RNA sequence: GGACGGUUAGCUCAGUCGGGAGAGCACCUGCCUUACAAGCAGGGGGUCGCAGGUUCGAGCCCUGCACCGUCCA
């Protein structure tokens, strides 16, 4: 590398590293799968973002988690494939393009279908490029050679194949039913595209007069404008109040239509008056009742929500204007006698926000029961998709068990055109893989294709296999399908996850992924959902610009608890940035001492110090913990244990200990310290790489180690030769001692430069810890004279400290305050008294001693011994200080 | 109405064998100690929502309740 370590800036600069290394990775083809057929495959498909616009921070979280898994598996030696792609997002994208056209005063109808679609494709290309650039900024290790789009040729082929197969199996049908109609975007919606909100509305009570003049029947509704489409009144067959009225006729006010009173089990006799008006064309329940009683279906609105010719005097009014007017009129006419405040659930379009109108319309549907059955069986078999966290399985199951037929046709232009043709000559419907040119029934050539397109999720549901080439038996499909894990938010379990599962089972005969990892939403600092209207969204690119990609990656990935929402807080990004900087500087330190050193100069076979053996032991444990964390998708635990290891152990202790040999004269010690430092740093960088890819590559490129890129460096393994429990024991004593001395120095207001003497009376077991590390103690405690002697005589007028296995004296003639020393020891004694009491009480409890596991009891006894020993020393010191 | 999640330090959250309550930030004290002031050293701070129960032992398991949130109907 051109830069000398000593010239490296003292702060990590993400901007200098990120683009450079991403280019290097892409040019080097490190993310392209399939290069080594010997390796085991590991595959993930990205949840395709909509080409509607920019990625938000939720995408960032989702993608970062996947990237961590994929990078980790790649380092573990798998042939890792992460397949990128995007979704055409029918309604959303079309709405955006239409909105832009509207600004120019043009409607899609002005342009015509073909011209309009050209515009949408332009839009798609524009945003696809933006999204790719955002992926790049996030550092995602995607295989761009396999990028897919839901409206690609191949994926469209898959859509058509699926449609035809389902149609031929009788699982797709076309019919006239009540669907959810969005008057704003003027298309049908599926059930889950409707969001139910509690709305403060009214319940309107009306009296419909009986034809025979014998009175009236009282009905209630929340949507009085629909009364214009009433074709019946229904009561419960067991309801005595109305028994005599069943079969009679009422005159519908305003339109003066004669409509029957029918008896139907479905009516809830407890609600309102127990009689309900029936509007078969504008309500799903009424539709069913209407069918049972053969009632006419009268639509009173058009596609825009405007009252139509069937609305008589109200024709031309918007549905809500009509409601107001009709309420006034009916009140005046004495028909509407009571208005009651009433909260009820009103469906809104997920996309446009408009109040959804239940609407009678001819649409295409998927018969869900048989498909759902397979999915339910699969999960019940125990061999099905594994949800992580497990609780989401229940949510999924509940939905799939109660699923209704899926309305898949959309009155849009942007999407997969429904592969159905109608013969104008004989009105035959033709569903085919290839566009037909004549009617197979009558031979006529007057065919026209269905105008509608398919629900976006129809194609997204095929994503894991359509992207791999299905229905062709491609090499990729054989090698990478089914995928290993799908990572997505809980908000699209129904929309997407469920549909991929039943589609995978139906068309490929296997579940599309082994695990599905569900994460939460990224909320703002106050816990509110990020939204455009609140303006509280955080742009991930802004975060990267300010703090670097590694910072946002580390913050988001380690801040999450599986399945729970995470709040975005700038302080935490800053903390992650500081961590990156910490690593940068630790590396700078290491590089300063490795200048001119080559990989082959390094060896861990030299004499290793206590600290060397301790850090290698701790590295072992960290490797195991990080790997275990990733294995169970616990990014938080994996990341935090790494953070702790690097910052608190490697930086705060090991490097401080390492400075002695590194700045000393003992060349052998220097060599082995350099080797350990380089090794531990390299291993730490590897463990950190999935979380912070850029800085780890940047640093490792400076280190004297083998290999092209850290992206393909092997994943660390714990090694039994590094196990050194005795070094851990020694370090614990040293750390406790150093802390105790520093603590005392702080309390006595000693300047850092002021040296003290330290006399240590160590028990036999603790002697090696001190003897082997005298220089370190001197350095880290600011010690001038140091004596370690098991038979040391207590000096006069000295501060006394008690640590595990030793007593420490600081003769501070002229500085020591005897009262302060006594107070300190008294505090210590009180604490130890409490501990001893707690332990003894526990051990005196027969239940504990008899029932607790032996090792727990033994640990407790051991603690008791240590506390008593320590307390005895403290008490003796106090006695001496008081001259007793 | 049903289901699920949450309630732990001032704030945001960990706590996956039931065995002495943790982190980051914030706060207080002292330090520009030649890797790092985006830092170092030291320190204070919690009735683990409430009430019962199981257990030798409960933040953790069971029951009930309260409040916040989400999904479904």
């Amino acid at each position: 590398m051109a830069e000398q370590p000593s010239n490296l800036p003292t702060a990590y600069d993400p901007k200098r590293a990120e683009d450079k290394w991403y280019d290097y990775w892409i040019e080097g083809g490190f993310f392209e799968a399939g290069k080594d057929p010997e390796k085991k495959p590991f595959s993930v498909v990205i949840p395709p973002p909509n080409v509607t616009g920019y990625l938000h921070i939720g995408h960032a979280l989702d993608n970062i988690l996947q990237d961590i898994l994929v990078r980790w598996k790649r380092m573990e030696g798998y042939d890792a494939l992460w397949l990128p792609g995007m979704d055409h997002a029918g309604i959303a994208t079309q709405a955006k393009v239409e909105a832009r056209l509207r600004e120019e005063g043009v409607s899609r109808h002005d342009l015509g279908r073909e011209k309009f679609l050209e515009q949408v494709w332009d839009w798609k290309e524009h945003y696809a490029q933006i999204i790719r650039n955002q992926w790049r900024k996030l550092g995602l290790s995607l295989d761009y050679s396999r990028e897919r789009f839901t409206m690609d040729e191949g994926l469209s082929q898959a859509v058509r194949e699926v449609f035809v197969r389902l149609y031929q199996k009788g699982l797709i049908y076309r019919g006239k039913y009540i669907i959810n109609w969005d008057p704003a975007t003027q298309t049908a919606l599926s059930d889950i595209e409707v969001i139910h909100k509690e709305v403060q509305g009214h319940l309107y009570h009306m009296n419909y007069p009986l034809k025979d003049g014998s009175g009236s029947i009282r009905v209630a509704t929340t949507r009085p404008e629909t009364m214009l489409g009433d074709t019946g009144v229904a009561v419960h067959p067991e309801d005595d109040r109305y028994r005599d009225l069943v079969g009679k006729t009422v005159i519908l006010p305003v339109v003066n239509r004669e409509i029957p009173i029918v008896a139907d089990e479905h009516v809830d006799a407890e609600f309102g008056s127990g009689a309900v008006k029936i509007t078969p064309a504008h309500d799903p329940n009424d539709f069913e009742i209407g069918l049972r009683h053969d009632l006419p279906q009268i639509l009173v609105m058009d596609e825009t929500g405007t009252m139509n010719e069937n609305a008589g005097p109200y024709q031309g009014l918007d549905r809500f204007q009509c409601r107001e007017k009709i309420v006034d009129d009916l009140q005046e006419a004495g028909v509407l006698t009571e208005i009651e405040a009433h909260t009820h659930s009103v469906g809104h379009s997920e996309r446009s926000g408009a109040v959804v109108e239940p609407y009678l319309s001819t649409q295409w549907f998927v018969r869900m029961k048989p498909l759902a059955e397979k999915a339910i069986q699969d999960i019940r078999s125990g061999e099905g998709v594994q949800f992580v966290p497990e609780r989401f399985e229940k949510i999924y199951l509940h939905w799939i068990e109660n699923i209704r037929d899926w309305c898949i046709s959309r009155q849009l232009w942007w999407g997969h055109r429904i592969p159905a043709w109608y013969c104008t000559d004989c009105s035959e419907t033709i569903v085919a893989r290839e566009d037909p040119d004549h009617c197979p029934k009558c031979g006529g050539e007057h065919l026209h294709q269905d105008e509608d397109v398919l629900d976006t999720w129809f194609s997204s549901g095929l994503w894991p296999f359509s992207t791999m080439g299905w229905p062709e038996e491609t090499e990729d499909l054989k090698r990478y399908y089914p995928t290993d894990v799908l990572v997505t938010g809980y908000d699209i379990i129904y929309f997407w996850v469920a549909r991929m599962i039943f589609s995978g089972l139906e068309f490929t005969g296997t579940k599309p992924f082994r695990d599905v990892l569900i994460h939460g939403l990224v909320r703002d600092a106050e816990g509110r959902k990020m939204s455009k209207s609140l303006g509280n969204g955080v742009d991930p690119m802004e975060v990267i610009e300010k703090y670097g990609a590694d910072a946002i990656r580390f913050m988001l990935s380690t801040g999450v608890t599986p399945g729970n929402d995470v709040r975005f807080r700038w302080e935490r990004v800053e903390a992650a940035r500081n961590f990156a900087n910490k690593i940068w500087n630790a590396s700078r330190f290491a590089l300063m001492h490795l200048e001119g050193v080559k990989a082959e100069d390094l060896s861990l076979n030299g004499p290793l110090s206590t600290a060397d053996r301790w850090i290698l032991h701790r590295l072992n444990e960290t490797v195991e913990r990080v790997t275990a964390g990733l294995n169970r998708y616990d990014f938080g635990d994996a990341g935090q244990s790494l953070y702790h290891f690097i910052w608190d152990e490697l930086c705060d202790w090991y490097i401080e200990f390492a400075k002695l040999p590194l700045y000393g004269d003992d060349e052998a010690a220097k060599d082995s310290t350099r080797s350990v430092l380089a090794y531990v740093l390299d291993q730490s960088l590897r463990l950190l790489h999935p979380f912070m890819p850029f800085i780890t590559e940047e640093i490792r490129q400076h280190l004297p180690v083998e290999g092209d890129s850290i992206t393909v460096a092997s994943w660390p393994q714990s090694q039994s030769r590094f196990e050194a429990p005795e070094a851990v024991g020694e370090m614990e004593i040293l750390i406790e001692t150093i802390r105790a001395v520093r603590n005392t120095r702080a309390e006595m207001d000693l300047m850092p430069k002021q040296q003290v003497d330290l006399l240590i009376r160590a028990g036999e077991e603790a002697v090696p810890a001190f003897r082997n590390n005298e220089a370190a103690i001197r350095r880290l405690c600011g010690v001038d004279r140091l004596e370690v002697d098991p038979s040391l005589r207590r000096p006069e007028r000295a501060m006394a400290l008690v640590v595990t296995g030793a007593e420490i004296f600081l003769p501070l003639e002229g500085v020591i305050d005897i009262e302060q020393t006594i107070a300190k020891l008294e505090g210590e004694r009180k604490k130890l008294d409490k501990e001893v009491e707690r332990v003894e009480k526990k051990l005196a409890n027969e239940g504990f001693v008899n029932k607790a596991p032996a090792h727990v009891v033994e640990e407790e006894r051991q603690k008791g011994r240590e506390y008593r020993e320590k307390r005895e020393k403290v008490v003796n010191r106090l006695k001496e200080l008081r001259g007793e």
Side-chain angles (χ1 to χ4, degrees):
Chain A
M1 285 293 131
E3 268 169 321
Q4 288 304 304
S6 39
N7 295 337
L8 288 176
T10 59
Y12 170 60
D13 180 5
K15 289 198 178 68
R16 286 179 54 168
E18 296 183 353
D19 285 345
K20 177 177 67 181
W21 293 119
Y22 203 80
D23 286 343
Y24 170 72
W25 293 331
I26 296 300
E27 279 159 25
F30 294 110
F31 306 151
E32 277 171 37
K35 290 187 165 170
D36 184 352
E38 297 300 309
K39 289 182 174 178
K40 274 169 63 183
F42 176 85
S43 60
V44 177
V45 290
I46 201 169
N50 294 347
V51 288
T52 41
Y54 299 79
L55 300 183
H56 53 65
I57 201 146
H59 291 112
L61 168 64
D62 181 70
N63 294 339
I64 288 164
L65 297 184
Q66 287 166 72
D67 195 43
I68 290 170
L69 293 172
V70 171
R71 284 182 184 268
W72 164 54
K73 285 292 174 184
R74 188 179 291 119
M75 292 173 79
E76 279 201 323
Y78 286 85
D79 170 20
L81 165 62
W82 188 15
L83 189 148
M86 299 175 207
D87 194 301
H88 68 281
I91 303 182
T93 310
Q94 175 160 332
K96 293 250 182 182
V97 176
E98 284 196 78
R100 193 180 60 180
L101 287 174
R102 211 174 302 126
E103 283 172 20
E104 300 162 15
V106 185
S107 83
R108 68 173 150 126
H109 301 283
D110 297 336
L111 286 180
R113 191 162 189 148
E114 205 172 314
K115 281 266 187 297
F116 177 75
L117 287 178
E118 278 173 25
Q119 295 252 337
V120 188
W121 277 104
D122 287 348
W123 173 285
K124 179 257 166 186
E125 285 307 330
H126 177 70
Y127 280 99
Q129 203 45 51
I130 289 173
I131 288 168
R132 281 184 210 112
N133 192 48
Q134 290 187 298
W135 284 342
R136 168 195 170 85
K137 289 280 178 195
L138 284 163
L140 309 184
S141 64
L142 295 159
D143 181 352
Y144 292 99
S145 72
R146 289 177 166 85
E147 186 184 330
R148 297 288 185 269
F149 179 57
T150 46
M151 280 175 52
D152 280 351
E153 182 62 34
L155 277 75
S156 300
Q157 206 50 53
V159 165
R160 190 175 274 205
E161 177 70 25
V162 163
F163 191 96
V164 172
R165 283 199 201 177
L166 287 176
Y167 183 77
Q168 288 173 348
K169 265 185 129 174
L171 295 180
I172 277 185
Y173 62 93
R174 187 171 187 245
K176 202 172 177 186
Y177 297 93
I178 293 281
I179 47 84
N180 305 291
W181 184 263
D182 177 353
T185 54
Q186 292 179 41
T187 178
L189 301 174
S190 65
D191 292 340
I192 51 177
E193 286 167 295
V194 177
I195 299 171
H196 295 275
K197 291 185 203 162
E198 288 288 300
V199 168
Q200 190 67 250
H202 301 278
L203 193 59
Y204 302 89
H205 297 270
M206 300 182 287
N207 295 313
Y208 287 177
L210 291 161
K211 186 186 177 189
D212 60 14
S214 64
S216 64
I217 187 162
R218 186 170 154 98
V219 295
T221 182
T222 56
R223 296 185 296 149
E225 67 281 7
T226 62
M227 65 88 67
L228 298 165
D230 284 1
T231 56
V233 170
V235 297
H236 195 275
E238 307 292 313
D239 194 334
D240 290 334
R241 292 173 293 179
Y242 300 111
R243 208 174 281 276
D244 296 339
L245 295 181
V246 174
K248 287 198 171 181
T249 300
V250 301
I251 308 286
L252 186 66
V254 183
V255 285
N256 295 320
R257 181 159 56 239
E258 295 189 4
I259 61 176
I261 296 174
V262 300
D264 194 283
E265 297 277 348
H266 182 269
V267 176
D268 177 6
E270 306 295 317
F271 184 78
S273 65
V276 290
K277 58 192 272 309
I278 302 298
T279 324
H282 286 280
D283 183 281
N285 295 323
D286 293 4
F287 175 78
E288 296 293 332
I289 293 175
L291 285 185
R292 286 198 283 273
H293 301 278
D294 210 18
L295 302 176
Q297 301 160 336
I298 301 175
L299 273 174
V300 295
M301 290 172 209
D302 66 14
E303 287 88 351
T304 67
T306 304
M307 306 311 291
N308 68 11
E309 68 280 4
N310 295 325
Y314 301 98
Q315 182 175 2
L317 285 182
D318 170 78
R319 54 188 168 149
F320 298 115
Q321 290 173 337
C322 173
R323 180 177 299 173
E324 282 178 33
K325 183 131 200 312
I326 206 166
V327 165
D328 285 348
D329 293 351
L330 290 175
Q331 267 180 307
E332 208 165 304
V335 171
L336 202 161
T337 53
E338 194 189 341
I339 302 175
E340 197 184 335
H342 181 68
T343 6
H344 59 129
S345 186
V346 176
H348 293 73
S349 164
E350 187 232 357
R351 201 42 71 178
S352 71
V355 171
V356 164
E357 197 64 38
Y359 197 77
L360 184 67
S361 172
T362 301
Q363 303 287 345
W364 288 89
F365 298 85
V366 174
R367 205 181 300 285
M368 287 305 303
K369 276 280 176 288
L371 297 170
E373 272 310 314
K374 274 191 188 175
I376 294 164
Q377 260 181 359
D378 186 61
I379 204 113
R380 291 262 163 80
S381 73
E383 300 293 308
V385 171
Q386 186 67 45
F387 280 79
V388 180
E390 231 172 313
R391 64 185 143 94
F392 290 105
E393 181 185 302
K394 249 194 277 180
I395 295 180
Y396 159 78
L397 252 184
H398 180 258
W399 185 73
I400 199 105
E401 280 170 346
N402 295 286
I403 200 161
R404 292 191 298 176
D405 284 359
W406 173 17
C407 174
I408 50 171
S409 42
R410 295 290 178 275
Q411 286 62 54
L412 304 170
W413 288 350
W414 177 239
H416 299 99
R417 190 108 175 239
I418 288 174
W421 287 261
Y422 309 106
C423 174
T424 14
D425 302 329
C426 71
S427 68
E428 170 77 350
T429 298
I430 306 134
V431 167
R433 287 180 177 84
E434 304 294 331
D435 293 10
D437 51 17
H438 66 276
C439 174
K441 193 177 176 191
C442 72
E445 290 177 2
H446 301 100
L447 302 177
H448 64 276
Q449 187 172 5
D450 196 298
E451 292 294 319
D452 294 345
V453 301
L454 288 162
D455 182 3
T456 298
W457 299 103
F458 192 89
S459 54
S460 325
L462 317 178
W463 187 250
F465 47 95
S466 64
T467 52
M468 307 267 185
W470 187 93
E472 303 298 320
E473 266 289 315
T474 61
E475 289 305 311
D476 274 7
L477 189 71
K478 278 187 268 186
R479 182 163 174 77
Y480 301 109
Y481 185 84
T483 64
D484 287 273
V485 57
L486 181 94
V487 183
T488 195
Y490 58 66
D491 50 331
I492 54 172
I493 292 177
Y494 305 143
F495 282 101
W496 194 44
V497 178
R499 281 165 182 168
M500 284 190 286
I501 295 173
F502 68 67
S503 301
L505 290 171
E506 173 70 18
F507 301 108
T508 68
T510 173
K511 56 186 179 178
F513 24 78
R514 190 185 70 237
D515 295 340
V516 52
L517 174 64
I518 302 291
H519 56 73
L521 270 37
V522 183
R523 295 174 174 276
D524 76 0
E526 276 76 51
R528 296 172 306 182
K529 212 166 163 174
M530 288 187 183
S531 72
K532 283 220 176 78
S533 50
L534 276 174
N536 61 345
V538 173
D539 176 7
M541 296 303 117
E542 183 194 340
V543 183
I544 291 171
E545 179 66 24
K546 285 182 175 150
Y547 291 96
D550 290 330
I552 190 177
R553 288 176 62 111
F554 196 78
M555 178 265 165
L556 285 175
S557 60
T558 60
V560 295
T561 311
N564 288 5
D565 291 348
V566 55
R567 293 193 194 189
F568 183 90
R569 301 176 74 228
W570 285 101
E571 305 97 274
R572 297 215 19 250
V573 184
E574 203 176 308
R577 187 271 314 260
N578 293 351
F579 179 48
N581 203 45
K582 188 72 183 176
I583 298 154
W584 179 256
N585 280 295
S587 305
R588 226 161 49 85
F589 172 82
L591 291 167
M592 279 171 57
H593 293 280
L594 290 166
E595 243 168 307
V597 175
K598 296 191 188 71
E600 57 267 30
D601 300 333
L602 299 172
S603 162
L604 297 175
N605 297 323
L608 298 182
S609 69
T610 302
D612 290 335
R613 283 175 291 131
W614 168 76
I615 198 71
L616 288 168
H617 181 98
R618 287 290 305 127
L619 173 68
N620 256 1
E621 292 177 343
T622 305
V623 166
E624 282 168 17
R625 182 143 182 195
V626 170
T627 309
L630 289 174
N631 261 315
R632 54 173 203 276
Y633 303 110
D634 191 342
F635 302 93
D637 189 67
Q640 277 157 26
S641 47
L642 246 185
Y643 182 96
H644 173 249
F645 174 73
I646 291 174
W647 198 312
D648 302 337
E649 298 185 313
L650 180 58
C651 294
D652 287 352
W653 290 105
Y654 182 72
I655 286 181
E656 292 309 318
F657 269 71
K659 283 176 180 173
L660 282 152
L662 290 175
Y663 287 124
D665 308 320
D666 181 341
E667 288 304 320
K670 201 176 278 196
D671 280 346
S672 58
T673 303
R674 274 202 282 251
S675 300
V676 172
L677 185 58
Y679 179 78
V680 174
L681 182 60
D682 176 37
Q683 296 283 303
S684 304
L685 291 171
R686 294 184 199 208
L687 292 173
L688 190 60
H689 179 257
F691 297 89
M692 296 185 144
F694 293 112
I695 191 174
T696 50
E697 181 75 275
E698 171 76 17
I699 295 169
R700 197 163 180 280
Q701 293 284 344
H702 287 92
L703 277 180
V705 289
E706 309 285 348
D708 289 340
S709 164
I710 195 170
T711 58
V712 289
S714 66
W715 186 252
Q717 308 273 321
S718 76
Q719 304 191 30
S720 54
R721 65 177 169 135
F722 294 154
E723 278 170 26
E726 82 296 338
V728 173
E730 285 186 21
M731 273 305 275
E732 276 169 4
I733 292 173
L734 289 168
I735 289 173
E736 188 186 352
T737 301
I738 292 164
R739 285 209 168 118
V741 174
R742 283 173 172 172
N743 177 328
T744 304
R745 294 182 52 118
E747 281 175 15
M748 311 210 48
D749 286 331
L750 290 187
M751 287 290 120
K753 277 174 186 153
Q754 193 170 346
Q755 302 274 312
V756 295
D757 292 346
L758 214 59
L759 307 174
I760 300 176
R761 179 151 79 198
E764 286 303 329
E765 285 174 21
V767 167
F770 294 110
R771 286 269 162 82
N772 294 337
N773 295 283
E774 288 188 12
I777 296 168
R778 261 184 232 281
R779 184 190 164 87
L780 298 176
C781 297
V783 169
D784 182 22
R785 186 165 71 94
L786 176 66
E787 265 184 52
V788 179
D789 184 352
S791 55
L792 188 93
R793 277 193 52 203
R794 180 183 70 84
E796 298 288 321
R797 301 197 58 80
M799 187 78 199
L801 309 172
V802 177
V803 300
T804 308
E807 290 163 277
I808 296 163
F809 303 99
L810 290 97
L812 295 165
E813 201 64 46
V815 184
I816 154 171
D817 178 336
I818 194 137
E819 291 307 319
Q820 201 179 343
T821 308
I822 288 175
K824 189 173 164 63
L825 284 170
E826 273 296 348
E828 188 79 0
R829 189 179 63 85
K830 266 189 198 151
K831 241 163 75 183
L832 289 166
D833 276 345
K834 262 168 71 182
E835 295 293 350
V836 169
E837 191 190 349
R838 190 185 56 75
V839 171
E840 282 179 350
K841 207 170 139 191
K842 209 165 184 179
L843 288 168
N845 182 338
E846 275 183 45
F848 175 73
V849 178
N850 294 335
K851 294 185 180 174
H855 76 273
V856 173
V857 177
E858 187 41 47
E859 277 165 25
E860 215 56 35
R861 291 212 167 100
Q862 179 63 29
K863 279 185 218 162
R865 277 194 290 274
E866 281 171 17
Y867 287 136
R868 273 192 299 271
E869 195 182 309
K870 234 172 163 174
R871 184 178 62 174
E872 196 188 321
K873 287 174 184 163
V874 170
V875 167
N876 288 340
R877 289 294 76 70
L878 278 166
K879 275 186 190 162
E880 287 164 3
L881 284 167
R882 287 175 172 139
E884 287 168 15

